[in-house]
Amino acid sequence: MDMLNPHCGIDRDARGVVRLTICNAGKLNIVSSAVTNGVREGFEHLAADPTVRAVILAGESERSMIGGADIKEMAKLDQASAEAFISRLRDLCEAVRKFPAPVIARLPGWCLGGGLEVAAACDVRVAAHDAMFGMPEVRVGIPSVIHAALLPRLIGWGRARWLMMTAENIDASTALAWGLVDTVAKPGGLDEAVEHTVKALLECGPEALRIQKDLLRQWEELPLTESVNLSVGVFGKSFQTGEPQRLLQGFLDRKR
């Protein structure tokens, strides 16, 4: 693993798949300001590389990808420093959400608070069979903010309210039923489940996937009619890459 900084390690395979590992963040991979900045820098570094096909976001510990934000650091904040702290986490989530290639969240163990916000910013969430999820902020006197705003879009307003207002945790099977995660791995099979998703992504046109991710991100923020009309131009521009012609002709050739 190559260390980009003390909190971000990179492994890249021959397929262009990168595993970005959150490092030196304790047993639960807690995100302090330093960790948040280090991981964000990793995503910004990789975003400039057009040969990256997919990123797997993982924790160094098997107890979590990100267990949550650093409570010890937050306990010392005032209004100004609190806004600076949460802005750094927002910027990390945005670096993930706007990353040009698909990002897969590898989710063992605990995924709480800021960790769930980062996971929500990923494109695909693959959970271990015993993973647990929650938004405990109100129990320590703060609201769930920033990319918690994605949760109603993922699981609906009622379930998002329940998570954020009761601070109760849910297990992996419930998270799957609610649509919070996309896959729950069998016991001991988390990496196998992640690889299954990676292979599915690699079977797609790399340029088409990047275009699709950007379009989906815009759809999150636009009214329906604008989303539909925007798509017309995006569809046309996709033919400038040459990828549709090549892959469509390959499909036709296989059918002969």
Side-chain angles (χ1 to χ4, degrees):
M1 181 167 62
D2 296 324
M3 298 298 296
L4 291 182
N5 59 59
H7 299 295
C8 181
I10 299 294
D11 286 296
R12 178 172 179 152
D13 68 21
R15 304 173 298 175
V17 178
V18 175
R19 180 163 170 146
L20 190 158
T21 302
I22 302 166
C23 300
N24 301 312
K27 294 180 180 179
L28 285 175
N29 291 314
I30 299 299
V31 285
S32 63
S33 290
V35 175
T36 299
N37 288 340
V39 178
R40 190 201 72 245
E41 288 170 8
F43 274 101
E44 290 173 350
H45 172 80
L46 292 170
D49 185 347
T51 65
V52 173
R53 296 288 305 274
V55 172
I56 302 164
L57 179 58
E60 191 173 30
S61 166
E62 284 299 303
R63 294 179 63 182
S64 69
M65 181 186 82
I66 297 173
D70 190 341
I71 292 177
K72 291 181 180 179
E73 182 176 353
M74 287 192 290
K76 301 175 184 177
L77 301 177
D78 57 19
Q79 180 176 351
S81 58
E83 291 179 7
F85 177 91
I86 203 64
S87 294
R88 285 187 283 271
L89 186 55
R90 175 203 62 197
D91 293 346
L92 169 57
C93 291
E94 281 298 282
V96 172
R97 195 168 75 94
K98 294 181 179 179
F99 191 81
V103 180
I104 302 167
R106 179 187 182 276
L107 299 168
W110 294 96
C111 184
L112 302 173
L116 187 49
E117 289 160 11
V118 175
C122 295
D123 301 293
V124 181
R125 286 160 291 280
V126 181
H129 75 286
D130 56 353
M132 296 292 293
F133 303 87
M135 297 296 290
E137 285 89 343
V138 291
R139 287 191 179 168
V140 291
I142 55 177
S144 297
V145 293
I146 57 167
H147 289 70
L150 292 171
L151 294 179
R153 294 163 168 82
L154 289 171
I155 62 176
W157 281 101
R159 287 166 174 167
R161 283 191 184 96
W162 189 91
L163 273 181
M164 287 185 268
M165 297 184 75
T166 69
E168 291 287 304
N169 297 327
I170 60 173
D171 60 17
S173 61
T174 303
L176 180 63
W178 284 12
L180 186 59
V181 301
D182 302 293
T183 303
V184 173
K186 63 185 180 182
L190 181 55
D191 285 320
E192 180 182 351
V194 169
E195 178 62 18
H196 178 83
T197 297
V198 167
K199 287 180 177 178
L201 293 172
L202 293 178
E203 290 177 358
C204 303
E207 292 300 324
L209 271 180
R210 286 172 171 248
I211 292 168
Q212 188 69 77
K213 175 170 180 175
D214 182 61
L215 192 58
L216 283 163
R217 184 180 59 79
Q218 294 183 73
W219 283 349
E220 287 177 345
E221 301 175 2
L222 291 174
L224 177 59
T225 299
E226 290 183 44
S227 296
V228 171
N229 292 336
L230 171 70
S231 303
V232 174
V234 173
F235 182 80
K237 288 180 180 178
S238 72
F239 282 79
Q240 295 177 355
T241 69
E243 193 172 86
Q245 296 91 329
R246 176 173 56 84
L247 295 180
L248 288 167
Q249 188 59 51
F251 177 84
L252 292 173
D253 292 343
R254 290 193 298 273
K255 291 297 182 181
R256 289 175 181 170

